[in-house]
Amino acid sequence: MKKEIYQNPFFKANPVTVLVLGICSSLAVTVKLEPACVMALSVTFVTGFSSLFASLLRNTIPNRIRIIVQLVLVSLFVILIDQFLKAYAYDVSKQLSVYVGLIITNCIIMGRIEAFALGNKPWPSFVDGIANGLGYGMILVALAFIRELLGSGTLFGHQIIPDGWYEAGYMNNGLIILPPMALILVGLFIWLQRGIQKELIEK
Amino acid sequence: MNTNSNTYTIIYSTIMVVIVAAVLAYVSVSLSGKQQANVNTETRQSILSSVNLGQGADEASDKNAYVEQEFNKYITDSYLVDAQGNKVEGDAFSLALTAGLKSQYDIMKQANPDVSKLTLPVFVCTLDDGSKVEIFPIYGAGLWGPIWGYVSLKDDYNTIYGATFLHKGETPGLGAEIATPMFSGQFIGKSIFDGSSLVSVTVVKGGAPEGSAHEIDAISGGTITSRALENAIRQWLEYYEPYLEKQKAER
Amino acid sequence: MDYLSLFVKSIFVDNMIFAYFLGMCSFLAVSKNVKTAFGLGIAVIFVILVTLPINYLLNKFFLTPGAMSWISPALADLDLSFLSFIIFIAVIAAITQLVEMIVEKFSPALYSSLGIFLPLIAVNCAVMGASLFMQERDFANLGYATVYALGSGIGWFLAIVAIAAIREKLAYSNVPKPLKGLGISFIITGLMGIAFMSFMGIQL
């Protein structure tokens, strides 16, 4: 198996900052670290297993209903995740609310099935799915880290900024919790990455 | 094998649908007990927090067990009352769940509501110092989805001891603020009767006057949700009014 | 809450893109010029407007707990809500396919301008998101659901056309090189989102 399969998704071909896939759900769940981590793990699980099964079934899927078969496969895993979250992590499932359902239409999953799993053997497809899920999760967690630390002064709900700072006049940045700041932060991430990797710069 | 023929496509999709449905049905049935337990815990926790109890739940190692134990310790009695204020037999807790509250709300929402069908849950809480407060659920439609909550009254059946509100889909940072202790804390100490007439609690845009007995601040930017909550509280207290009057007369 | 208020709110206050970031993938991929953005926007309005009422009826009469009691009282305990994701996405995928075939048959001119976008819409989060929000918000009747569908579709349309117009002009401006293209589009969408937040206080 080629190294690129599990190395690229983290930096060179990161699904969020380079391929621009799966933005929809990535931004709304990054106000706090906990839902972001759960979301990252859920997406990794779904990308991994739906790629694996799509690859196992790749020679049997009738071409005409290909998209629907893929969607059914993906939604099967998403419903499993949703049911397990409701049973074992109820608070988090309430915070994620509709965004769990939106994993179905997360372009990363469909994108990886179409672009990789349908043309490759099950094991590399599984690794590709997991790596892409983690590459996506990495951005999610980084965003949530910044937003929770600056926006609420906490990490995983524990206070990080000492009380003394607040007494000295430090204030939590309310703006960074608001949705638009997530977009601006992703923009800055892209700037940073392309500053380092000049070959990604658009003409 | 020709994977593009009609027969193959139809057989393939049929088998797929059957397998997927079987897997999902199995998982859903086997996890539904656990999910229901979480919903019950949430309701118990909300009821407890309306009497300012149960704060330790999130630190407890077994949240469900902790909340149930606290609930059984403090909520010493629960019963249903009808629209005339008489106690009736029944399971108060299942009617205090959102689905139960919605069923009562739906009865009253009809054009000619059949008041005799109305059964309203009441919980009696005995505090550590021995005094009793009673908890009354409320339910209504917010800006986007249902809003509901639990309001507790001291044994004068007039002064609010505490309140908790929940919502399903209000805008975060605006309408969703009704669920914060900062908002619900304003209700503590307000009175719902003015003399003998029920005035409930009203939300005031731009800040309630200091020391007002019936008014609290609306959420800035969340006026529609605040108004909806005000209406829900008033409406449900009106349902409970015969019961409240009866209890007051007995004191 | 009356229809007009819901309509305006779903366009401006709870805008699919600026408040919930739904449908960002196709949004960023297609917003390079106004003409294609316009085409995709219209297609999205259309698909949301068709799928959401269908999903509303399915949800109301089949999926919510006890919803099937109209068939026979014996089914009153049945709770099929765990199937809702799969049903919604199946309806959306099927409708997009159907719309594609109908448009192709009856209006080849429209098909040639919209056709390429239609398959994209099945995986557009805004369409699925609208159905999921509909389920969560529990609209009182079909009318509200339809108005909400129209409003959120138009909101998405406005957002993508506005951003496309900005990006067309942006091609001539001197942006730091690593920020060009994708990076600056994100930041501009964020700034537009802040502008749209000023609608939050409106009352109708």
Side-chain angles (χ1 to χ4, degrees):
Chain A
M1 189 166 47
K2 290 190 195 131
K3 260 200 319 215
E4 286 82 27
I5 295 176
Y6 54 87
Q7 277 184 349
N8 273 358
F10 290 99
F11 209 67
K12 229 186 200 163
N14 187 288
V16 178
T17 59
V18 181
L19 305 179
V20 217
L21 295 174
I23 315 287
C24 318
S25 50
S26 69
L27 306 177
V29 298
T30 53
V31 174
K32 292 267 154 68
L33 259 175
E34 197 186 348
C37 289
V38 174
M39 189 71 178
L41 291 176
S42 310
V43 169
T44 309
F45 173 85
V46 178
T47 39
F49 282 90
S50 50
S51 281
L52 175 67
F53 278 85
S55 172
L56 282 172
L57 295 174
R58 68 185 186 281
N59 294 326
T60 68
I61 297 175
N63 200 34
R64 261 186 299 170
I65 55 165
R66 195 181 76 236
I67 300 278
I68 295 192
V69 172
Q70 290 166 13
L71 283 172
V72 167
L73 206 57
V74 175
S75 39
L76 170 70
F77 289 107
V78 171
I79 295 175
L80 289 182
I81 291 263
D82 182 49
Q83 295 287 326
F84 274 97
L85 283 182
K86 272 189 190 144
Y88 296 102
Y90 186 70
D91 291 338
V92 180
S93 94
K94 269 201 319 187
Q95 283 177 43
L96 293 178
S97 71
V98 298
Y99 291 95
V100 179
L102 287 174
I103 299 178
I104 297 174
T105 48
N106 190 319
C107 330
I108 295 177
I109 301 168
M110 293 293 283
R112 288 330 289 172
I113 293 179
E114 280 278 301
F116 196 91
L118 288 182
N120 285 283
K121 291 215 168 68
W123 177 242
S125 305
F126 181 67
V127 174
D128 175 76
I130 295 280
N132 273 285
L134 289 175
Y136 163 86
M138 192 178 73
I139 301 288
L140 221 60
V141 171
L143 270 177
F145 180 85
I146 297 174
R147 291 181 79 190
E148 186 171 353
L149 186 64
L150 297 182
S152 321
T154 57
L155 288 177
F156 286 111
H158 298 289
Q159 194 178 337
I160 296 292
I161 309 284
D163 285 331
W165 288 30
Y166 290 107
E167 280 155 27
Y170 175 83
M171 297 255 271
N172 285 331
N173 186 342
L175 183 65
I176 212 153
I177 296 181
L178 296 173
M181 277 310 286
L183 287 168
I184 293 177
L185 279 177
V186 175
L188 296 179
F189 278 3
I190 293 174
W191 189 358
L192 184 72
Q193 189 188 7
R194 293 188 177 178
I196 300 168
Q197 285 189 303
K198 304 275 188 225
E199 69 271 20
L200 290 174
I201 293 175
E202 287 171 47
K203 298 270 149 44
Chain B
M1 192 165 48
N2 178 13
T3 56
N4 281 326
S5 77
N6 281 343
T7 338
Y8 181 82
T9 307
I10 291 167
I11 293 174
Y12 192 92
S13 43
T14 315
I15 293 176
M16 184 180 71
V17 165
V18 169
I19 293 178
V20 167
V23 170
L24 290 181
Y26 173 75
V27 170
S28 156
V29 168
S30 53
L31 290 178
S32 67
K34 195 114 181 100
Q35 292 172 357
Q36 189 57 44
N38 286 327
V39 174
N40 289 349
T41 298
E42 191 196 16
T43 305
R44 288 198 179 103
Q45 202 181 354
S46 308
I47 292 174
L48 283 176
S49 83
S50 75
V51 283
N52 316 321
L53 288 170
Q55 273 89 355
D58 290 322
E59 279 86 55
S61 54
D62 184 350
K63 189 175 165 187
N64 290 6
Y66 175 85
V67 171
E68 190 166 359
Q69 182 206 335
E70 291 285 291
F71 188 82
N72 292 338
K73 180 174 158 199
Y74 288 106
I75 307 298
T76 43
D77 197 7
S78 65
Y79 41 81
L80 297 170
V81 295
D82 64 13
Q84 283 76 44
N86 304 312
K87 290 182 190 177
V88 287
E89 283 304 306
D91 179 8
F93 184 71
S94 68
L95 273 183
L97 296 172
T98 22
L101 293 175
K102 184 176 189 304
S103 67
Q104 301 306 303
Y105 174 78
D106 287 343
I107 293 176
M108 297 308 286
K109 214 174 54 180
Q110 278 153 16
N112 291 309
D114 185 0
V115 182
S116 63
K117 274 195 195 151
L118 200 64
T119 46
L120 303 157
V122 176
F123 296 89
V124 181
C125 169
T126 312
L127 297 171
D128 283 331
D129 62 4
S131 61
K132 282 189 186 297
V133 289
E134 294 194 13
I135 301 158
F136 305 90
I138 59 126
Y139 185 96
L143 169 61
W144 289 121
I147 51 176
W148 66 100
Y150 305 89
V151 176
S152 60
L153 297 179
K154 286 188 183 162
D155 60 0
D156 60 357
Y157 296 97
N158 180 24
T159 318
I160 295 180
Y161 179 75
T164 302
F165 303 107
L166 298 101
H167 67 95
K168 199 160 182 195
E170 302 305 300
T171 319
L174 301 175
E177 294 291 302
I178 59 163
T180 58
M182 198 128 75
F183 177 77
S184 56
Q186 293 187 75
F187 282 81
I188 297 174
K190 305 287 174 195
S191 40
I192 57 167
F193 284 97
D194 189 6
S196 61
S197 58
L198 179 72
V199 290
S200 185
V201 177
T202 45
V203 293
V204 181
K205 211 176 155 181
E210 190 93 7
S212 162
H214 309 293
E215 290 169 327
I216 57 143
D217 297 347
I219 297 158
S220 45
T223 319
I224 299 179
T225 310
S226 310
R227 288 260 175 276
L229 183 68
E230 172 189 318
N231 290 338
I233 297 174
R234 180 194 306 276
Q235 195 162 23
W236 279 69
L237 287 178
E238 278 168 12
Y239 301 160
Y240 281 110
E241 197 179 355
Y243 170 78
L244 297 175
E245 295 289 356
K246 233 172 224 182
Q247 294 296 101
K248 265 165 100 175
E250 273 176 28
R251 269 184 80 232
Chain C
M1 184 173 59
D2 64 339
Y3 291 102
L4 182 69
S5 154
L6 175 65
F7 183 64
V8 174
K9 272 196 175 296
S10 54
I11 295 180
F12 294 107
V13 183
D14 280 10
N15 186 288
M16 275 290 166
I17 288 198
F18 298 130
Y20 295 106
F21 317 115
L22 297 180
M24 290 293 293
C25 312
S26 33
F27 173 77
L28 288 165
V30 181
S31 64
K32 283 193 180 113
N33 71 67
V34 174
K35 211 171 154 227
T36 41
F38 194 86
L40 182 67
I42 296 284
V44 166
I45 296 182
F46 188 73
V47 173
I48 294 188
L49 197 54
V50 177
T51 55
L52 201 134
I54 295 179
N55 282 341
Y56 178 82
L57 293 175
L58 282 173
N59 188 45
K60 196 167 165 105
F61 290 110
F62 291 100
L63 297 173
T64 44
M68 299 239 272
S69 52
W70 60 275
I71 300 176
S72 110
L75 294 172
D77 286 338
L78 207 57
D79 178 3
L80 289 182
S81 53
F82 68 94
L83 283 177
S84 49
F85 294 166
I86 216 163
I87 302 258
F88 288 174
I89 196 72
V91 167
I92 291 168
I95 294 287
T96 15
Q97 199 98 56
L98 205 68
V99 167
E100 194 181 345
M101 290 192 295
I102 293 173
V103 170
E104 190 178 11
K105 190 153 168 62
F106 291 104
S107 171
L110 186 64
Y111 181 75
S112 60
S113 59
L114 280 189
I116 44 164
F117 303 123
L118 286 169
L120 263 182
I121 291 171
V123 288
N124 187 322
C125 315
V127 179
M128 181 71 178
S131 282
L132 291 172
F133 278 125
M134 171 276 293
Q135 189 189 31
E136 190 180 87
R137 287 167 184 174
D138 200 10
F139 288 117
N141 62 43
L142 190 60
Y144 283 124
T146 315
V147 168
Y148 176 69
L150 186 64
S152 41
I154 292 177
W156 200 89
F157 168 82
L158 278 181
I160 191 168
V161 172
I163 293 284
I166 295 178
R167 281 182 79 170
E168 269 187 4
K169 296 278 174 256
L170 211 62
Y172 306 107
S173 35
N174 194 7
V175 178
K177 274 211 178 76
L179 206 52
K180 250 192 176 156
L182 194 58
I184 195 74
S185 309
F186 268 102
I187 292 177
I188 283 175
T189 315
L191 294 175
M192 293 271 289
I194 293 177
F196 263 66
M197 284 177 69
S198 57
F199 288 113
M200 273 184 177
I202 55 169
Q203 216 185 348
L204 287 163

